[in-house]
Amino acid sequence: MKVLVLGGDGFCGWPCAVNLADAGHDVMIVDNLSRRKIDIDLGVESLTPIATIGDRLKAWEQVGGKRIEFVLLDIAQEYDRLLDLLRVEKPEAVVHFAEQRAAPYSMKSSATKRYTVDNNVNGTHNLLAAIVESGLDIHIVHLGTMGVYGYGSHRGATIPEGYLTVEVPQADGSRFTERILHPTDPGSVYHMTKTLDQLLFFYYNKNDGIRITDLHQGIVWGTNTSLTEKDPRLTNRFDYDGDYGTVLNRFLMQAAIGYPLTVHGTGGQTRAFIHIRDSVRCVQLAMDNPPTSGEKVKIFNQMTESHRVADLAEKVAALTGAQTNYQANPRKEAIENDLIVDNRCFLELGLQPTTLDDGLLAEVVDVARRWADRCDRSRIPCLSAWTTRQAEAIAARP
Ligand SMILES: NC(=O)c1ccc[n+]([C@@H]2O[C@H](COP(=O)([O-])OP(=O)(O)OC[C@H]3O[C@@H](n4cnc5c(N)ncnc54)[C@H](O)[C@@H]3O)[C@@H](O)[C@H]2O)c1
């Protein structure tokens, strides 16, 4: 199958592109390399040394025996080129990873807020409009986030896969039931763009019948897959800095270099997680099980387990002997929250979850130790504050 992987040079996109090529698909990566440019702007680097996109593709051709094409294109700004690409390539599926994905970066300044909205909302909308204009029947597999449901209190309710069945009271006292999109509760400008994506999908699916699978993904941990481990030039990125590093990978890396684990607030925040290998597998399962013509947007909760941040820190400390440092929280968020998630769709399709207890935590610590000398310790703290109040609390950190 011909597949375009938008954002295929990124952390989730690269191992996914390689996996789809390995599975026999005809893969083309479309990326504007903005993530690499943001690294330069922020003055940070992936902990693991990553090859240029050219070297990655050369390595994959040598190791994997199949070519992956690459097109340098900004999906948010180059609509006409995107449309031409669809018309020429006629992909059967487009996997869409091409968004600014860091919540702290999205809250850094008004410039990064505006960039995140402009990039993410325009990119997704351009893709939808271009598919309609091309007249092609293309299945979109989009990477959304569990954060669209919000991390407030769900009062012990299980978060369903995208849709909620509600009872609506009528004036005459009767009630009818309706299946609606689960209400959204974004916790950052980044998360807000993902909730807007969800509405765009709802509309274009209803109006134009576009077939869409929206994957509400948890926080991804780990770094490599069995394929990206095959050659150093295929190595995946490992973000550890305060803007782009995600919580579990940050803890594992901090433990590896003897830096006290940076728990924000009480650590009572509960989040959903998935290992990079399962993320890659889920995208493949979603592609292999597309919605039928006329079917509503399919929404899958792409996560395998939930944990409280303080419990994660404890787990990492038990494994490595690391100290924990509770710090003022840069985010405006609930002190603690519950998170019970229905993820049956992927389990029923055959996903066998990789969990924190599968020994892979130690593997990530090993990767981090190997590259410890590349770490700039001054970039570890998260300094992007959600509000002035949080900024003051960060400034007052000892
Ligand atoms: N990493 C996670 O923990 C996580 C969790 C949940 C959801 N997601 C979602 O998965 C997707 C990929 O995340 P990631 O961690 O790989 O991020 P990433 O930043 O590593 O990769 C995103 C890629 O998209 C490219 N890109 C961004 N804007 C583009 C544009 N306008 N045109 C072309 N290319 C563009 C970037 O250059 C980069 O290569 C994102 O949409 C993110 O919201 C990630």
Side-chain angles (χ1 to χ4, degrees):
M1 187 193 295
K2 177 91 201 184
V3 188
L4 300 193
V5 181
L6 312 183
D9 186 47
F11 169 60
C12 299
W14 171 244
C16 170
V18 164
N19 177 57
L20 293 177
D22 188 62
H25 296 296
D26 188 0
V27 176
M28 173 181 275
I29 290 177
V30 178
D31 201 300
N32 66 349
L33 306 184
S34 54
R35 181 68 194 86
R36 292 178 186 253
K37 290 181 202 128
I38 290 174
D39 268 350
I40 295 168
D41 292 347
L42 293 175
V44 290
E45 280 185 302
S46 159
L47 187 68
T48 47
I50 50 171
T52 61
I53 182 70
D55 286 346
R56 276 184 160 180
L57 298 175
K58 225 178 284 160
W60 173 249
E61 204 169 334
Q62 287 160 5
V63 173
K66 288 162 203 138
R67 222 175 128 72
I68 295 180
E69 305 285 337
F70 173 69
V71 175
L72 182 67
L73 189 155
D74 186 329
I75 66 158
Q77 306 298 332
E78 297 181 279
Y79 177 80
D80 292 339
R81 284 190 63 215
L82 176 63
L83 175 59
D84 285 349
L85 190 71
L86 294 181
R87 283 180 168 149
V88 171
E89 298 299 330
K90 298 185 177 30
E92 285 157 87
V94 171
V95 189
H96 175 20
F97 293 96
E99 297 187 70
Q100 190 303 98
R101 70 102 171 126
Y105 184 80
S106 80
M107 301 304 290
K108 212 174 177 54
S109 66
S110 47
T112 62
K113 286 176 186 174
R114 291 171 54 233
Y115 164 70
T116 303
V117 170
D118 185 31
N119 188 64
N120 294 4
V121 180
N122 262 335
T124 299
H125 187 255
N126 280 350
L127 173 64
L128 290 161
I131 290 179
V132 173
E133 194 172 349
S134 74
L136 296 162
D137 178 20
I138 299 171
H139 173 208
I140 298 178
V141 177
H142 171 254
L143 275 292
T145 163
M146 283 296 299
V148 299
Y149 302 115
Y151 299 117
S153 174
H154 293 276
R155 299 193 209 174
T158 299
I159 297 178
E161 307 213 56
Y163 298 96
L164 189 65
T165 304
V166 294
E167 271 197 1
V168 184
Q170 296 287 80
D172 64 2
S174 66
R175 288 166 179 265
F176 65 90
T177 57
E178 185 88 357
R179 213 168 150 248
I180 60 167
L181 274 176
H182 191 286
T184 58
D185 181 12
S188 70
V189 167
Y190 156 71
H191 290 104
M192 188 181 59
T193 64
K194 295 294 195 177
T195 69
L196 296 173
D197 282 348
Q198 181 173 270
L199 269 187
L200 292 172
F201 294 140
F202 178 83
Y203 175 72
Y204 274 89
N205 168 264
K206 182 182 69 160
N207 195 63
D208 301 282
I210 298 189
R211 291 180 305 120
I212 300 164
T213 305
D214 197 6
L215 304 174
H216 288 185
Q217 181 165 248
I219 299 169
V220 183
W221 65 285
T223 179
N224 280 310
T225 62
S226 56
L227 292 173
T228 65
E229 269 165 356
K230 284 194 168 182
D231 186 292
R233 294 167 297 169
L234 299 175
T235 294
N236 200 16
R237 62 180 307 133
F238 188 132
D239 296 306
Y240 69 91
D241 61 285
D243 282 318
Y244 271 89
T246 49
V247 61
L248 183 51
N249 273 8
R250 267 163 63 76
F251 284 172
L252 293 166
M253 175 274 171
Q254 290 163 4
I257 63 160
Y259 191 103
L261 310 181
T262 51
V263 176
H264 295 155
T266 63
Q269 309 92 323
T270 305
R271 296 292 182 267
F273 293 88
I274 184 164
H275 191 272
I276 186 73
R277 293 178 193 182
D278 287 351
S279 167
V280 159
R281 174 89 184 111
C282 285
V283 171
Q284 193 176 351
L285 286 170
M287 259 188 53
D288 291 347
N289 295 276
T292 50
S293 170
E295 191 175 340
K296 261 184 158 172
V297 176
K298 269 191 179 183
I299 302 179
F300 293 171
N301 290 337
Q302 184 164 313
M303 53 75 71
T304 53
E305 54 191 325
S306 296
H307 294 282
R308 281 173 77 240
V309 169
D311 295 341
L312 283 182
E314 226 170 77
K315 230 180 217 305
V316 173
L319 181 77
T320 60
Q323 302 291 308
T324 300
N325 177 10
Y326 286 83
Q327 302 188 328
N329 192 350
R331 300 182 186 227
K332 184 173 178 179
E333 62 185 358
I335 293 169
E336 51 186 58
N337 64 291
D338 56 315
L339 196 66
I340 305 165
V341 182
D342 185 356
N343 65 345
R344 264 175 299 177
C345 286
F346 274 128
L347 299 180
E348 283 167 6
L349 288 176
L351 178 71
Q352 294 185 334
T354 305
T355 67
L356 264 56
D357 296 323
D358 289 346
L360 287 166
L361 286 176
E363 190 183 296
V364 182
V365 176
D366 286 346
V367 171
R369 279 203 185 112
R370 195 172 338 137
W371 302 110
D373 61 336
R374 286 174 51 86
C375 164
D376 176 349
R377 296 169 82 99
S378 72
R379 309 317 302 263
I380 293 177
C382 179
L383 302 175
S384 294
W386 263 231
T387 67
T388 355
R389 195 157 156 232
Q390 267 86 29
E392 284 161 9
I394 293 176
R397 275 179 190 161

